[in-house]
Amino acid sequence: MGPFFDTLKFLYFYVIMIYFSSHFFISESLFSTCKLRRQFYLNGMHKPGDVILGGLFEVHYTSVFPELTFDPPGFRHAMTMAFAIDEINKNANLLPNVTLGYSLYDNCATLVIGFSAALSLVSGREEKFLLHENCLGTPPVVGIVGDSFSTFSIATSDVIGLFKMPIVSYFATCSCLSDRHKFPSFFRTIPSDAFQVHAMIRILKHFGWTWAGLLVSDDDYGVHVARSFRQALAQSGGSCLAYSEILPWGENSAELRRIQVNQHFLPLLRSQFPSLYVIKQNVTGLQWMASEAWTTAAVLQTTRHMPYLSGTLGIAIRRGEIPGLRDFLMKMHPDIYDRNNNGNSMVRQFWEYTFQCRFAPPPSGWLQGGGALCTGQEELANMETEFLDVSNLRPEYNIYKAVYALAYALDDMLRCAPGRGPFSGNSCATLQKLEPWQLMHYLEKVHFTTPFGDEVSFDENGDALPIYDIMNWQWLPDGSTKVQNVGVVKKTALKGEELRLDEDKIFWNSDSKQVTSSVCSVSCPPGTRMARKNGQPACCFDCVRCSERKFSNETDSLECTSCPEDFWSSPQRDRCVPKKTEFLSYHEPLGICLTTASLLGTFICAVVLGIFTHYRSTPIVRANNSELSFLLLVSLKLCFLCSLLFIGRPRLWTCQLRHAAFGISFVLCVSCILVKTMVVVAVFKASKPGGGTNLKWFGSVQQRGTVLVLTSIQAAICTAWLISSSPVPHKNTQYYNDKIVFECVVGSTIGFAVLLGYIGVLAILSFLLAFLARNLPDNFNEAKLITFSMLIFCAVWVAFVPAYVNSPGKYADAVEVFAILASSFGLLVALFGPKCYIILLKPERNTKKEIIGRGTAKMGRKKKCIYQSPGSPAEKEKRKQAEENKSNRINNITMIYGNMTVNTKC
């Protein structure tokens, strides 16, 4: 609590040692009596009883030193305690057969006097009193109600606590007094500043006020409040202090101006001058929040202050109802109280102050100036005095609860059954041998409900269940002012903390008459996060939009949360939405076009197949092994159909089947073309001398076997690929941030490369053979058509590789489908287009003569020359052999291309 308080604490211990050493001496006769050596002359009032309760109240205060001013509310506080004790004595159910008395002292709002009064309560008022069993006996008082100031309570409790004397304060709120190690016997019926601070923070949060200034008084109360407020505000999060200032005592205008200019806020605590400074500087537009110290201060609730202070929200001590108190106060009269030895001087002082008279002889000394003599016939009912105002009982209600708490604790103690007590040996405490710590034991466990309906009990720190009224300063249309109760904040044993506000009743000092805003930075909406500004409090921040794939769905989020893998942040970044899925769909334009093209190619293949079936006996169909032509058409049809496996959402079976079907279909197609090309070359090679022996390897069986073997190799490649590393569907999130691309990963790149490579090898081989045979007799060979078709095929698939590699997502599938369709259409048109043209449009050319006529014409011209050439018999034999070779060549053509006869005659 600082070096100052440590020094003050040392002085207190020094004073108490001197006090007790000079106050008491023990007689030499068997240590049977103690005697006060001197007394403090204190202002007080007393009532005898079996058990005495002490009280410390501020009945006078110093306005201009050393003059004392009577304080009617303070005297009402003292009389509330007297009323509570009188009420308890009349209650047959509480402390039966025990009469409570009291000793009430005026602390004069001075620490020294208050401390002296507390010591007098501990030591007692009798000059002599008997001691029992080595100075053990009933103490002069068993408990003290007071003091009103936190600083006074700290000083008093620090010393009185050594004797375990229970002290129940009704107005000391410093949170430091909850320290049970330093103040073991301190209790209070008013909430501590810790709860007051917490309640104020709850209100700040309720209205969204995150930017506030703190002004505290320059004393123990203010220092501890400031410390507690800063700590609680930091722990609560979301709010922070723009500044924290200690309000100087007195009219330090320079210091006040510094606070006003630098912080744009004016103090309003403890002193009237700051409020006048608010008026002087015309500081308006601020929302004030008052502590319980000045929430109900009537001196500030004037029409002069309302333009600046109206709308103030404040924490106020709980207002209670005490039935019968006003009647008790009305019956008070000096004659009722003992006047001997200044024993009840406070009553006479109140009478003198209220009626502006004095008692004689002699004058009491408390009346300022002269005045008429008091007769005792004055009537309180005829006077308008603040003393009789019981409409706003706040400290009085806490005093009432404090007295009853001590009474209930004493009652519980006296109801203890012998042999079942809480002390050593299961003993019980008695009035004859009562120790203060024994009463404190019961006080810690007390629990009762007031007639007003509030529960009273103490926690382990001596704090009662806290409750505050929330007040609002209202400026009424007629110019008058009103402090309106607009809510309550409390803590109960069952429900915990509660905040109830009736916002419809709140008056706001703003043009809009709506709740004002107090923020350093506007709250960050969902979709953003707070980024604290460097060097500024936590409430000053920028709102940064959440990055892609992150979101925040709360106001003032500290961080943005990442969306799950299959989700993406919405455009507002306030939620996660499922990512768009992308694949080559049947429903999109590209998919529809490719599907249409695939079906069109399939349909054309079917039509061509039908044409060839219908005209299967014609020379052009039968030429060059019609069986291969039919097989080629079927394979092309499969090529068109397999492209459909690349369209639609990838599934496991489609991923596995698409490449296998594509690879096998194209190998079947290219194998047929390769065999046809090889047959063409072989036939015309066989037409040369000695070449006929090779034709036995190109019969129909051999052709089918070759196609089957070549296709089986591709089937084996596909099987090995599917078994070792099968293609599987995959959700790719790498291409796009906001999309999931459904694709088929090939599994084994080597397997895919081998599949394509094998097709490429067959295609290149077919192209080379067809290219070499392109100049053979036109009518008998398809070499030129095959050359052109394979040129298209190879060009398409050479272009496919880079396009496929560089196409993301569904476009890779589209490229592959396009390559399949383009190459298939190229083969279909190049190989079967001319034949269909002749079959359908030029049927006159679909004859044996037209098919092989061009070749025979050339051979006829040669034969004419041979027959007309004269020569020797040897030459005739040679011509005969040439004629046989020519006949064999024609027969070979007939065998390979079909059973067509050729007229070899000129």
Short mmCIF file of all heavy atoms in Angstrom, two decimals, residues 767-798:
data_model
loop_
_atom_site.label_atom_id
_atom_site.label_comp_id
_atom_site.label_asym_id
_atom_site.label_seq_id
_atom_site.Cartn_x
_atom_site.Cartn_y
_atom_site.Cartn_z
N PHE A 767 1.92 -45.56 -90.98
CA PHE A 767 2.17 -44.39 -91.84
C PHE A 767 3.35 -44.63 -92.77
O PHE A 767 3.29 -44.32 -93.98
CB PHE A 767 2.41 -43.16 -90.96
CG PHE A 767 2.87 -41.96 -91.72
CD1 PHE A 767 1.99 -41.23 -92.52
CD2 PHE A 767 4.20 -41.55 -91.68
CE1 PHE A 767 2.42 -40.13 -93.24
CE2 PHE A 767 4.63 -40.45 -92.39
CZ PHE A 767 3.75 -39.73 -93.15
N LEU A 768 4.41 -45.19 -92.26
CA LEU A 768 5.61 -45.42 -93.08
C LEU A 768 5.32 -46.43 -94.19
O LEU A 768 5.71 -46.24 -95.36
CB LEU A 768 6.76 -45.90 -92.21
CG LEU A 768 7.33 -44.87 -91.22
CD1 LEU A 768 8.40 -45.50 -90.35
CD2 LEU A 768 7.88 -43.66 -91.97
N LEU A 769 4.66 -47.53 -93.86
CA LEU A 769 4.36 -48.54 -94.88
C LEU A 769 3.43 -47.97 -95.94
O LEU A 769 3.61 -48.22 -97.15
CB LEU A 769 3.73 -49.77 -94.23
CG LEU A 769 4.65 -50.62 -93.35
CD1 LEU A 769 3.88 -51.74 -92.70
CD2 LEU A 769 5.82 -51.17 -94.18
N ALA A 770 2.43 -47.24 -95.51
CA ALA A 770 1.50 -46.65 -96.49
C ALA A 770 2.20 -45.62 -97.36
O ALA A 770 1.92 -45.49 -98.56
CB ALA A 770 0.32 -46.01 -95.76
N PHE A 771 3.12 -44.88 -96.73
CA PHE A 771 3.85 -43.88 -97.50
C PHE A 771 4.71 -44.52 -98.58
O PHE A 771 4.79 -44.04 -99.71
CB PHE A 771 4.70 -43.04 -96.55
CG PHE A 771 5.49 -41.96 -97.24
CD1 PHE A 771 4.86 -40.78 -97.64
CD2 PHE A 771 6.84 -42.12 -97.52
CE1 PHE A 771 5.59 -39.78 -98.29
CE2 PHE A 771 7.55 -41.13 -98.15
CZ PHE A 771 6.93 -39.95 -98.53
N LEU A 772 5.33 -45.64 -98.25
CA LEU A 772 6.17 -46.34 -99.23
C LEU A 772 5.35 -46.94 -100.35
O LEU A 772 5.83 -47.10 -101.48
CB LEU A 772 6.99 -47.43 -98.53
CG LEU A 772 8.04 -46.93 -97.52
CD1 LEU A 772 8.69 -48.11 -96.81
CD2 LEU A 772 9.08 -46.06 -98.21
N ALA A 773 4.10 -47.29 -100.09
CA ALA A 773 3.26 -47.95 -101.09
C ALA A 773 2.34 -46.98 -101.81
O ALA A 773 1.40 -47.39 -102.48
CB ALA A 773 2.45 -49.05 -100.43
N ARG A 774 2.56 -45.68 -101.63
CA ARG A 774 1.62 -44.70 -102.17
C ARG A 774 1.59 -44.66 -103.69
O ARG A 774 0.59 -44.24 -104.29
CB ARG A 774 1.98 -43.32 -101.61
CG ARG A 774 3.24 -42.73 -102.18
CD ARG A 774 3.64 -41.47 -101.44
NE ARG A 774 4.80 -40.83 -102.03
CZ ARG A 774 6.04 -41.23 -101.87
NH1 ARG A 774 6.28 -42.29 -101.12
NH2 ARG A 774 7.05 -40.58 -102.44
N ASN A 775 2.69 -45.09 -104.39
CA ASN A 775 2.75 -44.97 -105.84
C ASN A 775 2.38 -46.26 -106.56
O ASN A 775 2.57 -46.37 -107.78
CB ASN A 775 4.15 -44.53 -106.27
CG ASN A 775 4.43 -43.10 -105.87
OD1 ASN A 775 3.53 -42.26 -105.90
ND2 ASN A 775 5.67 -42.82 -105.48
N LEU A 776 1.90 -47.26 -105.84
CA LEU A 776 1.45 -48.48 -106.49
C LEU A 776 0.17 -48.21 -107.24
O LEU A 776 -0.48 -47.17 -107.05
CB LEU A 776 1.25 -49.57 -105.44
CG LEU A 776 2.54 -50.03 -104.72
CD1 LEU A 776 2.20 -51.05 -103.65
CD2 LEU A 776 3.54 -50.59 -105.71
N PRO A 777 -0.25 -49.12 -108.15
CA PRO A 777 -1.45 -48.87 -108.96
C PRO A 777 -2.63 -48.44 -108.10
O PRO A 777 -2.96 -49.09 -107.09
CB PRO A 777 -1.70 -50.22 -109.63
CG PRO A 777 -0.34 -50.82 -109.74
CD PRO A 777 0.39 -50.41 -108.52
N ASP A 778 -3.27 -47.34 -108.50
CA ASP A 778 -4.27 -46.67 -107.67
C ASP A 778 -5.49 -47.55 -107.40
O ASP A 778 -5.97 -47.65 -106.28
CB ASP A 778 -4.74 -45.38 -108.33
CG ASP A 778 -3.60 -44.37 -108.39
OD1 ASP A 778 -2.62 -44.53 -107.61
OD2 ASP A 778 -3.70 -43.46 -109.19
N ASN A 779 -5.99 -48.16 -108.44
CA ASN A 779 -7.27 -48.81 -108.29
C ASN A 779 -7.23 -50.02 -107.37
O ASN A 779 -8.25 -50.45 -106.87
CB ASN A 779 -7.81 -49.24 -109.65
CG ASN A 779 -8.21 -48.04 -110.50
OD1 ASN A 779 -7.54 -47.02 -110.44
ND2 ASN A 779 -9.29 -48.17 -111.24
N PHE A 780 -6.08 -50.56 -107.14
CA PHE A 780 -5.97 -51.78 -106.34
C PHE A 780 -5.49 -51.54 -104.93
O PHE A 780 -5.46 -52.46 -104.14
CB PHE A 780 -5.03 -52.79 -107.03
CG PHE A 780 -5.64 -53.40 -108.24
CD1 PHE A 780 -5.35 -52.89 -109.51
CD2 PHE A 780 -6.51 -54.46 -108.13
CE1 PHE A 780 -5.91 -53.46 -110.64
CE2 PHE A 780 -7.09 -55.03 -109.26
CZ PHE A 780 -6.79 -54.53 -110.52
N ASN A 781 -5.06 -50.35 -104.58
CA ASN A 781 -4.53 -50.19 -103.21
C ASN A 781 -5.06 -48.94 -102.54
O ASN A 781 -5.43 -47.96 -103.20
CB ASN A 781 -3.00 -50.24 -103.25
CG ASN A 781 -2.35 -48.87 -103.27
OD1 ASN A 781 -2.27 -48.25 -102.24
ND2 ASN A 781 -1.87 -48.42 -104.43
N GLU A 782 -5.10 -49.02 -101.18
CA GLU A 782 -5.59 -47.91 -100.36
C GLU A 782 -4.45 -47.14 -99.71
O GLU A 782 -4.63 -46.44 -98.74
CB GLU A 782 -6.52 -48.43 -99.25
CG GLU A 782 -7.74 -49.15 -99.76
CD GLU A 782 -8.54 -49.78 -98.65
OE1 GLU A 782 -8.06 -50.77 -98.07
OE2 GLU A 782 -9.63 -49.25 -98.32
N ALA A 783 -3.26 -47.32 -100.25
CA ALA A 783 -2.07 -46.76 -99.59
C ALA A 783 -2.16 -45.26 -99.43
O ALA A 783 -1.79 -44.71 -98.39
CB ALA A 783 -0.82 -47.15 -100.38
N LYS A 784 -2.63 -44.59 -100.47
CA LYS A 784 -2.71 -43.14 -100.35
C LYS A 784 -3.72 -42.71 -99.29
O LYS A 784 -3.49 -41.77 -98.52
CB LYS A 784 -3.07 -42.54 -101.70
CG LYS A 784 -1.94 -42.60 -102.71
CD LYS A 784 -2.31 -41.89 -103.99
CE LYS A 784 -1.14 -41.92 -104.99
NZ LYS A 784 -1.46 -41.23 -106.25
N LEU A 785 -4.87 -43.40 -99.26
CA LEU A 785 -5.86 -43.06 -98.24
C LEU A 785 -5.35 -43.34 -96.84
O LEU A 785 -5.57 -42.57 -95.90
CB LEU A 785 -7.15 -43.85 -98.49
CG LEU A 785 -7.86 -43.59 -99.83
CD1 LEU A 785 -9.09 -44.46 -99.95
CD2 LEU A 785 -8.23 -42.12 -99.96
N ILE A 786 -4.67 -44.47 -96.70
CA ILE A 786 -4.10 -44.80 -95.37
C ILE A 786 -3.03 -43.80 -94.99
O ILE A 786 -2.94 -43.37 -93.83
CB ILE A 786 -3.55 -46.23 -95.39
CG1 ILE A 786 -4.70 -47.25 -95.55
CG2 ILE A 786 -2.77 -46.53 -94.13
CD1 ILE A 786 -4.24 -48.67 -95.71
N THR A 787 -2.21 -43.41 -95.97
CA THR A 787 -1.17 -42.41 -95.68
C THR A 787 -1.77 -41.11 -95.18
O THR A 787 -1.33 -40.54 -94.18
CB THR A 787 -0.35 -42.14 -96.96
OG1 THR A 787 0.25 -43.35 -97.41
CG2 THR A 787 0.74 -41.11 -96.68
N PHE A 788 -2.81 -40.66 -95.86
CA PHE A 788 -3.46 -39.42 -95.46
C PHE A 788 -4.13 -39.54 -94.09
O PHE A 788 -4.03 -38.66 -93.23
CB PHE A 788 -4.49 -39.03 -96.52
CG PHE A 788 -5.19 -37.75 -96.23
CD1 PHE A 788 -4.52 -36.53 -96.27
CD2 PHE A 788 -6.54 -37.74 -95.89
CE1 PHE A 788 -5.18 -35.35 -95.99
CE2 PHE A 788 -7.20 -36.56 -95.60
CZ PHE A 788 -6.52 -35.36 -95.66
N SER A 789 -4.82 -40.67 -93.87
CA SER A 789 -5.51 -40.85 -92.58
C SER A 789 -4.53 -40.95 -91.43
O SER A 789 -4.76 -40.39 -90.35
CB SER A 789 -6.40 -42.10 -92.65
OG SER A 789 -5.61 -43.27 -92.79
N MET A 790 -3.42 -41.66 -91.63
CA MET A 790 -2.44 -41.80 -90.55
C MET A 790 -1.68 -40.50 -90.33
O MET A 790 -1.21 -40.22 -89.22
CB MET A 790 -1.47 -42.94 -90.85
CG MET A 790 -2.12 -44.31 -90.90
SD MET A 790 -3.26 -44.61 -89.51
CE MET A 790 -2.17 -44.52 -88.15
N LEU A 791 -1.56 -39.70 -91.38
CA LEU A 791 -0.95 -38.38 -91.21
C LEU A 791 -1.82 -37.52 -90.28
O LEU A 791 -1.31 -36.84 -89.39
CB LEU A 791 -0.79 -37.71 -92.57
CG LEU A 791 -0.08 -36.34 -92.56
CD1 LEU A 791 1.34 -36.49 -92.03
CD2 LEU A 791 -0.07 -35.73 -93.96
N ILE A 792 -3.13 -37.57 -90.52
CA ILE A 792 -4.06 -36.85 -89.62
C ILE A 792 -3.96 -37.41 -88.20
O ILE A 792 -3.90 -36.66 -87.21
CB ILE A 792 -5.49 -36.97 -90.16
CG1 ILE A 792 -5.62 -36.27 -91.51
CG2 ILE A 792 -6.49 -36.38 -89.15
CD1 ILE A 792 -6.96 -36.46 -92.16
N PHE A 793 -3.97 -38.71 -88.08
CA PHE A 793 -3.93 -39.37 -86.77
C PHE A 793 -2.69 -38.94 -85.99
O PHE A 793 -2.76 -38.55 -84.81
CB PHE A 793 -3.96 -40.88 -86.97
CG PHE A 793 -4.03 -41.67 -85.70
CD1 PHE A 793 -5.25 -41.99 -85.13
CD2 PHE A 793 -2.86 -42.10 -85.06
CE1 PHE A 793 -5.30 -42.72 -83.95
CE2 PHE A 793 -2.92 -42.82 -83.89
CZ PHE A 793 -4.14 -43.13 -83.33
N CYS A 794 -1.54 -39.05 -86.64
CA CYS A 794 -0.28 -38.71 -85.94
C CYS A 794 -0.22 -37.23 -85.59
O CYS A 794 0.26 -36.85 -84.51
CB CYS A 794 0.91 -39.09 -86.82
SG CYS A 794 1.10 -40.87 -87.03
N ALA A 795 -0.70 -36.38 -86.49
CA ALA A 795 -0.67 -34.94 -86.21
C ALA A 795 -1.52 -34.60 -85.00
O ALA A 795 -1.15 -33.78 -84.15
CB ALA A 795 -1.16 -34.17 -87.44
N VAL A 796 -2.70 -35.23 -84.95
CA VAL A 796 -3.60 -34.96 -83.80
C VAL A 796 -2.94 -35.37 -82.49
O VAL A 796 -2.94 -34.61 -81.51
CB VAL A 796 -4.94 -35.70 -84.00
CG1 VAL A 796 -5.75 -35.67 -82.70
CG2 VAL A 796 -5.73 -35.07 -85.12
N TRP A 797 -2.35 -36.54 -82.43
CA TRP A 797 -1.81 -37.03 -81.17
C TRP A 797 -0.46 -36.41 -80.81
O TRP A 797 -0.13 -36.33 -79.64
CB TRP A 797 -1.73 -38.55 -81.20
CG TRP A 797 -3.10 -39.15 -81.07
CD1 TRP A 797 -3.86 -39.67 -82.05
CD2 TRP A 797 -3.87 -39.23 -79.88
NE1 TRP A 797 -5.08 -40.09 -81.58
CE2 TRP A 797 -5.11 -39.83 -80.22
CE3 TRP A 797 -3.66 -38.86 -78.56
CZ2 TRP A 797 -6.12 -40.06 -79.30
CZ3 TRP A 797 -4.67 -39.09 -77.64
CH2 TRP A 797 -5.88 -39.68 -78.01
N VAL A 798 0.26 -35.95 -81.81
CA VAL A 798 1.49 -35.18 -81.49
C VAL A 798 1.11 -33.84 -80.86
O VAL A 798 1.74 -33.38 -79.90
CB VAL A 798 2.34 -34.97 -82.76
CG1 VAL A 798 3.44 -33.94 -82.51
CG2 VAL A 798 2.97 -36.28 -83.20
#
